[in-house]
Amino acid sequence: MNFQNKNNQFWPFSNSYLSLPNVFFEILKPEKIKNPKLIKYNKLLSQELNFNIEDTNLIKDLFSGNYIPDKAKTIALAYSGHQFGNFVPNLGDGRAILLGELAKQDGTLVDVQLKGSGKTKFSRNGDGKAPLGPVIREYIISEAMNALSIPTTRSLAIVSTGEKVFREKTLPGGILTRSASSHLRVGTFQFCQILNDQNKLKKLCDFTINRHFPHIKNKKNPYLELLIEVQENQTYLISRWMSAGFIHGVMNTDNTSISGETIDFGPCAFMDEYNPSTVFSSIDFNGRYSFSNQPGIAQWNIARFAESILPLINDDEKIAISQANEIINEYPKIFKQKWLDIMGKKIGIEKIQTSDEILINNLLNIMSKNHLDFTITFRNLCDKYITNENNNSEINNWKNEWFERINKQGLEFKTISTNMKKINPLYIPRNHLVEKVINEAINNENYQPLEDILEVINNPYSKKIDDIFYTATPNPDERVYQTFCGT
Ligand code: AMP
Ligand code: MG
């Protein structure tokens, strides 16, 4: 539905989701905003998406939801989900509206969605709005993830609405435009599961296969293959999170993307000091989504996905369960291999061996025991040291073993170090910095710190001359122990 009508009403988006049965969405338009301001626009991403609009007024109107031609069908998507382990049937886009898809140069479709654009039929008790703070946070962190080559949804624009949003306190409102390779979630399939309609389930699965995994279309059992693909993508994603010290914070099944992208940045954060049991989210009372629980939780989420597509895997439920189990039981092995690969590279080992796991775990133990910063430790290692402290025998012993191991590769250290510096970032969007950027934007309408941090995190591996501000770990009074969904 990509059109330019007689009133010259331009609309660049198609919307293939409309081909699904209409229980999967609600057609509606975003609420109009009286006084929108475009405070950030991601020009580079817009080029990747072939969105070559220069008119900033049009950009502002599109991404505030004010400009939607009558003919355009924008939609809120239905989904269910397990939130902190409890099934909630009626979630869905309560404050997001899918404008539609843009096509990249290679033809791949990318969803473009407004978040914070008003109520939908899925809003339950929510106001459909987003405070500007979490919008800025999602923009920064998703772009950082992308720069670190971690699969992620992206951020295209931030609009401030000029409206007040009421939470524990009154906050300025914002709208994030985000792009995603799709918004299909494990929760979308769980929503379908409770419809108990195999025809609809098949339509949803075929749509998903066409969109993300066309190569499995003609396989003997494409739905079992779908499970394998989803597991492959999730294990890759979580191994990358674990290698960057990233904590998602709310790994509910509705926040688990089928494409394997990081999605729905709520109370997420990069760790400073390494502690595997770190939890940031203010609502995660039992530490369900702590750093070290993430691989296991992703497996649990995949099991929920498998359950929701069982009727397509095999007509005989018992056989379907045993086939799905066989795949899910492979998860630990697949995850471990991916994790070892990336962690090995982080410490300069190109071809990982099973015996290297001890070396990696010993380093992590040292880091945790000595309260070392996750990012800085790995970056220091690229220059052959761990901390400036030289009299820790455990650290020195580990270093000796490590030298011995990397020397076996027959490469000069300089080469190893150069490779390590391509994978161990200097800059991550540390929580205390993100908070400063948000405070400046919200309290003083000063968006320069946002520009500055984006420039830094977009080149996370190359050293800036004046970088102490961005590399320094937080002072005790700057430490952020809790992050909030901010919904
Ligand atoms: P999230 O925590 O952002 O993943 O959202 C969980 C669920 O709550 C989703 O169904 C959201 O659409 C919904 N939700 C979150 N915030 C709001 C809001 N302000 N208004 C309406 N629905 C919301
Ligand atoms: Mg969500």
Side-chain angles (χ1 to χ4, degrees):
M1 213 207 357
N2 190 326
F3 60 79
Q4 183 133 25
N5 71 14
K6 62 178 187 313
N7 300 326
N8 222 8
Q9 278 190 308
F10 150 89
W11 188 244
F13 305 103
S14 57
N15 206 337
S16 62
Y17 214 81
L18 290 165
S19 67
L20 287 171
N22 56 16
V23 283
F24 286 110
F25 51 83
E26 178 197 16
I27 299 178
L28 85 167
K29 297 203 176 3
E31 284 172 21
K32 290 257 191 305
I33 306 297
K34 275 205 196 90
N35 197 9
K37 281 198 190 116
L38 183 68
I39 64 172
K40 183 68 202 157
Y41 182 54
N42 193 338
K43 190 92 203 279
L44 280 177
L45 176 60
S46 76
Q47 286 159 353
E48 270 180 49
L49 299 179
N50 261 329
F51 184 77
N52 302 312
I53 310 290
E54 300 289 337
D55 177 350
T56 45
N57 270 327
L58 179 57
I59 293 170
K60 180 186 72 188
D61 287 343
L62 267 170
F63 298 137
S64 59
N66 276 353
Y67 172 82
I68 312 275
D70 292 342
K71 262 167 80 177
K73 286 188 177 150
T74 55
I75 56 179
L77 310 187
Y79 52 86
S80 307
H82 273 91
Q83 299 199 311
F84 291 91
N86 303 310
F87 186 67
V88 186
N90 57 337
L91 292 170
D93 288 336
R95 53 168 175 161
I97 288 186
L98 182 65
L99 294 180
E101 297 137 347
L102 294 172
K104 287 191 186 172
Q105 290 293 359
D106 65 1
T108 321
L109 293 179
V110 176
D111 277 7
V112 178
Q113 189 200 54
L114 304 183
K115 194 167 164 185
S117 52
K119 282 190 190 164
T120 73
K121 78 168 183 185
F122 307 109
S123 296
R124 295 173 291 156
N125 295 323
D127 59 0
K129 304 285 179 179
L132 186 56
V135 165
I136 292 175
R137 171 176 255 284
E138 172 153 354
Y139 192 110
I140 296 170
I141 300 194
S142 63
E143 287 309 287
M145 298 296 269
N146 179 60
L148 295 169
S149 304
I150 301 174
T152 180
T153 60
R154 302 282 309 272
S155 294
L156 184 59
I158 300 176
V159 163
S160 70
T161 60
E163 293 172 351
K164 297 268 169 267
V165 178
F166 302 99
R167 297 294 181 263
E168 294 90 31
K169 41 183 185 175
T170 307
L171 298 163
I175 296 176
L176 179 78
T177 303
R178 76 168 170 201
S179 70
S181 65
S182 86
H183 284 87
L184 294 160
R185 307 145 189 270
V186 168
T188 316
F189 293 81
Q190 294 183 290
F191 171 80
C192 196
Q193 181 184 11
I194 54 176
L195 295 176
N196 208 1
D197 179 334
Q198 195 158 330
N199 194 18
K200 289 196 176 73
L201 181 60
K202 188 172 176 327
K203 283 188 173 144
L204 179 65
C205 286
D206 289 343
F207 177 85
T208 307
I209 290 172
N210 264 323
R211 176 86 175 236
H212 294 294
F213 315 107
H215 58 279
I216 63 171
K217 214 185 314 191
N218 299 319
K219 291 270 170 101
K220 201 165 133 225
N221 188 339
Y223 307 108
L224 201 57
E225 296 288 332
L226 178 60
L227 177 58
I228 295 173
E229 296 287 336
V230 169
Q231 176 157 282
E232 180 67 20
N233 289 353
Q234 279 296 317
T235 45
Y236 181 83
L237 177 68
I238 311 299
S239 71
R240 264 49 195 173
W241 287 359
M242 301 307 281
S243 76
F246 178 77
I247 302 170
H248 181 278
V250 200
M251 290 176 70
N252 293 333
T253 55
D254 52 300
N255 294 337
T256 302
S257 155
I258 292 301
S259 72
E261 286 175 343
T262 314
I263 194 168
D264 280 8
F265 295 78
C268 60
F270 287 85
M271 255 191 287
D272 294 301
E273 196 176 291
Y274 176 61
N275 176 351
S277 53
T278 306
V279 176
F280 279 111
S281 169
S282 60
I283 53 171
D284 191 356
F285 305 113
N286 300 316
R288 180 181 169 90
Y289 299 138
S290 68
F291 181 71
S292 59
N293 277 0
Q294 296 185 121
I297 288 290
Q299 183 184 20
W300 192 88
N301 290 346
I302 291 168
R304 306 290 77 76
F305 174 66
E307 277 166 8
S308 65
I309 64 166
L310 279 179
L312 295 185
I313 291 179
N314 201 296
D315 290 340
D316 181 326
E317 195 181 57
K318 265 199 186 135
I319 299 176
I321 292 174
S322 105
Q323 285 177 316
N325 270 337
E326 212 176 298
I327 289 163
I328 296 166
N329 290 340
E330 288 291 296
Y331 179 102
K333 205 174 92 198
I334 300 172
F335 172 77
K336 174 74 78 65
Q337 193 53 51
K338 291 188 180 5
W339 180 80
L340 282 175
D341 279 346
I342 181 83
M343 295 307 286
K345 291 208 170 66
K346 278 176 83 74
I347 64 167
I349 300 172
E350 280 308 313
K351 285 209 181 83
I352 197 82
Q353 289 164 7
T354 334
S355 54
D356 295 324
E357 187 179 349
I358 300 171
L359 192 64
I360 296 168
N361 279 330
N362 285 348
L363 174 61
L364 291 171
N365 284 336
I366 286 174
M367 286 163 61
S368 147
K369 232 191 209 165
N370 295 281
H371 307 285
L372 301 181
D373 183 86
F374 190 90
T375 307
I376 291 179
T377 304
F378 284 103
R379 187 69 184 197
N380 286 350
L381 208 55
C382 308
D383 292 322
K384 273 197 189 163
Y385 72 105
I386 290 180
T387 63
N388 290 323
E389 200 196 310
N390 292 321
N391 53 5
N392 180 321
S393 62
E394 199 183 3
I395 292 182
N396 290 331
N397 290 341
W398 185 88
K399 257 172 56 182
N400 291 338
E401 269 183 51
W402 171 64
F403 277 141
E404 212 178 292
R405 172 64 183 92
I406 57 170
N407 281 339
K408 274 195 204 147
Q409 298 178 113
L411 294 168
E412 264 186 65
F413 186 75
K414 212 172 141 215
T415 314
I416 296 175
S417 165
T418 308
N419 289 337
M420 284 171 73
K421 283 184 178 170
K422 288 182 193 155
I423 195 163
N424 290 305
L426 252 173
Y427 311 108
I428 47 157
R430 290 180 186 274
N431 237 330
H432 68 292
L433 297 177
V434 175
E435 293 301 317
K436 282 184 186 164
V437 170
I438 291 173
N439 286 338
E440 270 305 301
I442 289 180
N443 300 331
N444 303 326
E445 291 186 37
N446 175 12
Y447 305 115
Q448 192 52 46
L450 172 62
E451 296 298 331
D452 295 344
I453 199 171
L454 286 173
E455 199 186 313
V456 172
I457 54 119
N458 270 322
N459 293 293
Y461 304 107
S462 45
K463 195 163 173 60
K464 313 277 176 306
I465 297 163
D466 181 18
D467 71 347
I468 296 167
F469 180 71
Y470 293 104
T471 49
T473 54
N475 297 325
D477 63 325
E478 289 177 322
R479 278 196 194 147
V480 179
Y481 295 101
Q482 276 202 331
T483 44
F484 299 87
C485 277
T487 54

